[in-house]
């Protein structure tokens, strides 16, 4: 066989592999239970997530592309190879935001073959690649006189963080298009890092994790084990195996945990798994909001102490919610345990989605669970004696913005939305796993290569009924695993109209049979409004409740409750049944993109009571007069899409 034939065979093999790898590729990971399914194998049909993906692809991704041009961020790359072209713009880590945009556009191309998006993507990649040094180094901040500072302060500057995002963008682009130009760029940079860092070379680790999981995914894409080894080196340098709880900057903690999970999936290091388990339990049991949001302190964008979960002062950065989704996805792939999918789903619908406007092109950086325009956190006017500033404070104006100088949340949001289809399904030797529910179809294969199609029809998350049609290319014995969400208090399953005995394993309903074309499985998840309380150690929530229906957490916004001081209202709860009084659940097609809103009885203090002394005796409080009102709640993710008003998730109650 001549060399020309070898080359053409290699090209055909690469073309065959194009688009056939999941967001996190675990097909060859020896310590992963599940294999991910690529975005391209899943088609989102009209439903909840398709609408949000479309506005992101049509408005969010293009608007960030325009803003990167207007703000001179793309010029940062051009000035490296066109001396004097323009001054550098943005923070020292701005390169990473461009790479996240590339990743978002690459994910979007796997769902839709858009020439407009492809042209933008090609243009941006062609701006990036010429900025790479001959030795493979690529960072637009450490050039010219700053070149001598490379790798001198890894804990502060984000060189390895930016490199990691380049690697992930390159892998996503390669999987979407089959093109290798950006992948080759990433490989050159990764090889440079392997020459600089490692045993017997330079020590150190990134102050902002990202490189760890990126190196593992680059190893999965290329098969070059030195990238996996370098990831393990960085994780050992930071002392990953010794971590007792999830601490510090929330986004960094999530990205580090992702790297640890990826490394475990390839190596099976038991001390890493023990660390991952400790950190996850710490986060879920003591440091997470009901929305799935994490990182309660605005100081340091960090996790606080256990149960330190303020509502009005919640930081809950959108990027941290996304990082939690990434981590829980990896833990799910490793274990096949629904507890990780439960956290992922809660965070997707609430803690993450609240960070993006319904228009798809405006974003929250922080996501409080209580807001007032008169809040300390929205007041930006310093007192006369402190004109120089107001300290380390969080400022929230109740309005999502199209741009932040630190553009991490907008770019992270569009890449999250573009990747949504990749989180719905997984594969194992036993069959197909269904993690999320929405109108969609899967066109993939079983592990033995048998082609397989599946169609979901549902009104989830507003209704709990899911119809699933199965189309194997031939009659085949395998299992479907359907996640029974942790919020669900009752369910039934039917195959072709006949009830199936529940067989739950790790939170999944396993339905095994010889499947034929057109077989229909119906899953009915009991969905009702739940009145939720928190652990009493969360001091702000004592005497308060929150509302959740299915995976959706609700809030009370002033705009839906005109004339009612919503932050002074309380709910009426039937003391015998523990349920809301006169609850009505109604779907409104034209409200906030289509939602189920909740109406119920409540009460507000008589106006005269609001002028009472700052403090008074309990005896006087007992005689407080209240006025009955009707209250309306909407999904938390939809707040702040209309006029500015008060909002709260947790609300007092009266029996």
């Amino acid at each position: 066989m001549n060399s020309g034939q070898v080359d053409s065979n290699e090209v055909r093999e690469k073309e065959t592999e194009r688009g056939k790898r999941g967001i996190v590729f675990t097909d060859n990971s020896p310590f992963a239970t599940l294999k991910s399914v690529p975005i391209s194998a899943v088609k989102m049909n009209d439903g909840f997530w398709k609408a949000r993906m479309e506005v992101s692809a049509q408005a969010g991704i293009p608007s960030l592309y325009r803003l990167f041009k207007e703000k001179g961020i793309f010029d940062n790359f051009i000035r490296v190879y066109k001396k004097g072209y323009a001054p550098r713009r943005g923070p020292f880590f701005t390169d990473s935001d461009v790479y996240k945009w590339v990743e978002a556009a690459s994910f979007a191309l796997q769902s839709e073959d858009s020439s407009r998006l492809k042209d933008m993507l090609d243009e941006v990649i062609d701006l990036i690649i010429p900025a790479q040094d001959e030795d493979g180094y690529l960072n637009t901040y450490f050039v010219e006189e700053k070149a001598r500072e490379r790798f001198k302060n890894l804990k502060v500057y984000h060189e390895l963080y930016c490199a990691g995002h380049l690697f992930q963008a390159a892998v996503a682009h390669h999987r979407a298009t089959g093109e290798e130009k950006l992948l080759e760029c990433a490989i050159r940079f990764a090889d440079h890092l392997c020459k600089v860092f490692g045993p017997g070379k330079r020590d150190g680790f990134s102050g902002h994790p990202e490189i760890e999981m990126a190196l593992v995914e680059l190893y999965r894409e290329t098969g070059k084990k030195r990238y996996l080894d370098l990831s393990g080196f960085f994780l050992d340098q930071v002392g990953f195996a010794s971590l007792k709880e999830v601490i510090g900057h929330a986004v960094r903690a999530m990205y580090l945990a992702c790297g640890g999970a990826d490394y475990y999936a390839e190596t099976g290091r038991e001390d890493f798994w023990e660390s991952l388990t400790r950190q996850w339990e710490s986060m879920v049991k003591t440091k997470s909001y009901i929305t799935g949001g994490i990182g309660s302190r605005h100081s340091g964008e960090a996790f606080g102490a256990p149960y330190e979960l303020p509502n009005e002062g919640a930081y809950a950065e959108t990027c941290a919610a996304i990082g939690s989704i990434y981590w829980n996805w990896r833990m799910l792939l490793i274990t096949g345990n629904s507890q990780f999918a439960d956290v992922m789903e809660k965070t997707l619908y609430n803690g993450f989605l609240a960070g993006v406007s319904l228009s798809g092109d405006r974003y929250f950086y922080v996501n409080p669970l209580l807001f007032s325009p008169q809040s300390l956190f929205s007041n930006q006017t310093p007192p006369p004696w402190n004109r120089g500033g107001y300290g380390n404070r969080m400022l929230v104006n109740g309005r999502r913005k199209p741009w932040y100088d630190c553009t991490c949340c907008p770019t992270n949001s569009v890449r999250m939305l573009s990747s949504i289809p990749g989180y719905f399904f997984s594969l194992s030797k036993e069959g197909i796993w269904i993690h999320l529910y929405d109108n969609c179809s899967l066109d993939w294969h079983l592990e033995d290569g048998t082609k397989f199609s599946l169609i979901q029809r549902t009104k989830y998350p507003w209704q709990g009924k899911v119809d699933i049609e199965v189309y194997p290319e031939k009659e085949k014995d395998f299992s479907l695993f359907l996640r029974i969400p942790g919020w669900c208090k009752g369910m039934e399953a039917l195959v072709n109209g006949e009830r199936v005995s529940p067989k739950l394993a790790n939170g999944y309903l396993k339905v095994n049979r010889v499947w034929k074309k057109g077989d229909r499985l119906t899953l009915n998840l009991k969905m009702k409004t739940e009145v939720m309380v928190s652990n009493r150690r969360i001091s702000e929530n004592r005497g308060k409740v929150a509302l959740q229906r299915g995976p959706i957490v609700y809030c009370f916004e002033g705009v839906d409750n005109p004339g009612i001081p919503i932050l002074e209202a309380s709910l009426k709860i039937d003391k015998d049944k523990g349920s809301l009084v006169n609850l009505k659940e109604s779907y409104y097609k034209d409200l906030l993109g289509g939602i189920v809103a909740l109406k119920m009885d409540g009460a507000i203090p008589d106006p005269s009571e609001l002028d009472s002394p700052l403090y008074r005796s309990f005896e006087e409080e007992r005689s407080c007069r209240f006025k009955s009102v009707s209250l309306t709640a909407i999904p938390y993710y939809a707040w702040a899409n209309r006029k500015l008003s008060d909002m709260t998730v947790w609300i007092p109650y009266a029996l």
Side-chain angles (χ1 to χ4, degrees):
M1 183 178 292
N2 60 42
S3 59
Q5 289 174 310
V6 172
D7 290 342
S8 62
N9 286 339
E10 289 177 352
V11 169
R12 281 196 295 271
E13 184 177 338
K14 290 173 182 176
E15 185 65 24
T16 301
E17 287 298 311
R18 172 186 166 183
K20 292 191 176 181
R21 295 189 171 187
I23 302 164
V24 177
F25 182 62
T26 54
D27 282 25
N28 302 317
S29 303
F31 296 93
T33 299
L34 304 180
K35 300 178 179 180
S36 55
V37 169
I39 294 171
S40 57
V42 182
K43 178 184 178 184
M44 302 305 297
N45 300 319
D46 289 342
F48 187 91
W49 286 111
K50 182 182 178 182
R52 283 143 187 87
M53 289 174 59
E54 285 182 341
V55 295
S56 181
Q58 295 168 7
I61 293 176
S63 70
L64 287 171
Y65 166 83
R66 290 192 297 271
L67 286 165
F68 278 141
K69 278 195 167 183
E70 293 172 11
K71 305 290 184 180
I73 305 304
F74 291 147
D75 293 344
N76 290 341
F77 292 91
I78 301 173
R79 67 184 287 272
V80 174
Y81 46 90
K82 287 188 178 180
K83 305 301 181 184
Y85 181 81
R88 195 185 183 285
R89 302 283 293 277
F92 52 80
F93 49 81
T94 298
D95 290 4
S96 66
D97 296 326
V98 175
Y99 301 146
K100 279 181 278 187
W101 182 92
V102 169
E103 194 175 356
S106 298
F107 287 150
L109 279 180
Q110 291 193 52
S111 290
E112 179 185 5
D113 189 10
S114 167
S115 58
R116 175 192 180 207
L117 197 57
K118 181 64 164 59
D119 289 345
M120 284 191 286
L121 189 56
D122 287 345
E123 177 190 342
V124 173
I125 289 173
D126 287 343
L127 295 177
I128 292 170
I129 292 175
Q132 187 168 35
D133 281 3
E134 290 184 5
D135 64 3
Y137 185 90
L138 175 52
N139 188 298
T140 68
Y141 185 79
F142 291 95
V143 296
E144 299 172 342
E145 72 280 357
K146 291 186 178 295
R148 65 176 69 95
E149 299 177 26
R150 293 176 181 177
F151 303 135
K152 293 291 180 63
N153 195 346
L154 295 175
K155 293 183 181 180
V156 173
Y157 292 105
H158 289 35
E159 288 170 275
L160 297 179
Y161 169 79
C162 290
H165 277 300
L166 170 62
F167 300 167
Q168 288 190 309
V171 170
H173 179 255
H174 183 240
R175 290 176 184 172
T177 67
E179 298 173 8
E180 297 191 350
K181 54 185 178 181
L182 191 60
L183 183 65
E184 290 172 352
C185 173
I187 289 171
R188 287 194 297 273
F189 196 177
D191 286 344
H192 176 68
L193 294 180
C194 289
K195 293 175 183 176
V196 174
F197 295 97
K201 304 172 190 175
R202 180 175 293 183
D203 290 338
F205 59 87
S206 178
H208 195 311
E210 162 65 35
I211 187 69
E212 300 84 0
M213 59 172 155
L215 281 167
V216 177
E217 205 61 37
L218 191 61
Y219 156 71
R220 290 166 173 162
E221 192 71 1
T222 65
K224 299 179 186 295
K225 188 174 180 293
R226 58 181 175 271
Y227 304 150
L228 176 65
D229 293 339
L230 184 57
S231 175
F233 172 79
F234 286 137
L235 288 162
D236 282 335
Q237 288 278 297
V238 82
F240 183 82
S242 65
L243 293 173
K244 305 298 183 185
E245 62 178 322
V246 65
I247 56 174
H249 188 283
V251 180
R252 302 181 194 202
M254 293 300 96
Y255 285 8
L256 184 66
C258 288
D262 280 329
Y263 191 74
Y264 171 80
E266 302 302 326
T267 65
R269 273 188 56 174
E270 193 59 33
D271 56 347
F272 270 45
W273 183 250
E274 291 170 357
S275 174
L276 287 163
T277 301
R278 289 193 301 266
Q279 292 182 68
W280 188 86
E281 289 182 349
S282 163
M283 181 180 80
V284 172
K285 293 181 178 179
T286 70
K287 298 185 179 183
S288 295
Y289 286 98
I290 192 171
T291 59
I294 53 173
S296 58
R297 291 183 180 176
H298 66 273
S299 177
E301 302 178 331
F303 286 101
Y307 307 104
E308 182 190 335
L309 294 164
N311 294 317
E312 187 175 16
Y315 201 78
E317 184 181 342
T318 301
C319 280
I322 293 169
S324 174
I325 293 167
Y326 292 162
W327 182 23
N328 278 281
W329 177 240
R330 286 161 169 79
M331 298 291 275
L332 176 61
L333 292 175
I334 291 169
T335 64
N337 194 311
S338 70
Q339 63 181 342
F340 303 111
D342 284 345
V343 177
M344 187 176 72
E345 180 186 62
K346 175 190 288 189
T347 309
L348 268 172
Y349 280 103
N350 303 288
F352 157 66
L353 196 56
V356 187
S357 68
L358 296 178
S359 62
D361 58 358
R362 303 180 75 86
Y363 313 90
F364 272 147
Y365 199 101
V366 301
N367 296 277
L369 278 72
L370 184 152
F371 173 80
S372 171
Q374 286 74 47
S375 165
L376 162 70
F377 298 100
S378 64
N379 180 7
Q380 301 187 41
T381 305
W385 59 86
N386 189 19
R387 294 296 188 192
Y390 19 92
N392 189 5
R393 297 176 54 202
M394 176 178 69
L395 299 176
V396 181
N397 63 12
R399 285 281 180 247
R400 296 175 183 85
K401 296 167 57 177
W403 176 262
Y404 297 86
D405 287 337
C406 176
T407 326
C408 58
C409 291
T411 50
N412 239 344
S413 295
V414 293
R415 74 168 176 155
M416 183 73 250
L417 287 167
S418 296
S419 67
I420 287 289
Y423 295 94
F424 269 72
F425 305 96
S426 292
L427 190 70
S428 74
K429 291 181 179 179
E430 294 182 85
I432 300 290
W433 296 62
I434 304 175
H435 308 301
L436 301 174
Y437 301 109
D438 198 357
N439 285 331
C440 65
S441 59
L442 169 67
D443 188 8
W444 195 227
H445 56 73
L446 300 176
E447 190 166 274
D448 67 359
T450 303
K451 292 183 179 179
F452 174 94
S453 295
L454 177 152
I455 300 172
Q456 277 195 47
R457 292 188 175 90
T458 181
K459 294 182 180 178
Y460 198 90
W462 312 120
Q463 295 181 14
K465 181 182 179 183
V466 184
D467 287 319
I468 299 171
E469 294 178 15
V470 181
Y471 294 93
E473 65 175 344
K474 59 183 178 181
E475 291 187 10
K476 186 72 176 177
D477 186 347
F478 62 92
S479 296
L480 286 182
F481 295 84
L482 295 86
R483 182 176 67 94
I484 306 303
W487 54 258
C488 180
K489 299 298 192 294
M491 53 77 63
E492 70 169 358
L494 303 95
V495 174
N496 299 328
E498 295 185 6
R499 187 171 306 219
V500 175
S501 324
K503 294 179 181 178
L504 289 176
N506 290 330
Y508 284 82
L509 173 68
K510 178 179 178 180
V511 183
N512 177 259
R513 61 182 275 118
V514 176
W515 295 93
K516 305 177 182 65
K517 291 182 180 179
D519 279 348
R520 180 169 174 170
L521 190 158
T522 299
L523 180 65
N524 287 308
L525 302 170
K526 186 177 181 181
M527 183 181 289
K528 68 170 187 172
T529 300
E530 295 281 355
V531 181
M532 309 293 292
V533 297
S534 65
N535 188 298
R536 290 188 59 81
R537 293 172 179 169
I538 305 176
S539 58
E540 283 201 19
N541 296 342
R542 292 175 193 155
K544 297 180 181 179
V545 296
L547 304 182
Q548 181 173 331
R549 186 176 183 276
I552 304 294
V553 174
Y554 279 74
C555 72
F556 295 85
E557 195 174 17
V559 66
D560 299 298
N561 298 276
I564 296 175
I566 199 64
L567 299 185
E568 295 154 11
S570 58
L571 297 183
K572 291 184 178 180
I573 296 180
D574 187 308
K575 64 180 180 180
D576 296 322
K577 300 178 181 177
S579 58
L580 298 168
V581 176
N582 290 328
L583 171 67
K584 295 180 180 178
E585 306 170 333
S586 303
Y587 181 76
Y588 295 88
K589 179 181 178 181
D590 298 321
L591 178 62
L592 296 167
I595 63 166
V596 168
L598 310 177
K599 293 184 183 292
M600 69 224 75
D601 285 358
I604 57 173
D606 186 276
S608 63
E609 300 290 343
L610 301 179
D611 295 325
S612 65
L614 188 59
Y615 304 102
R616 59 179 177 172
S617 72
F618 182 69
E619 285 297 320
E620 292 176 286
E621 175 67 14
R622 288 179 62 193
S623 62
C624 180
R625 292 173 294 173
F626 286 86
K627 173 185 175 183
S628 294
V629 293
S630 177
L631 299 176
T632 299
I634 63 166
Y636 170 72
Y637 74 75
W639 85 280
N641 277 281
R642 298 165 293 178
K643 67 180 182 180
L644 198 66
S645 66
D646 293 337
M647 180 279 295
T648 186
V649 170
W650 291 95
I651 188 168
Y653 67 93
L655 295 176

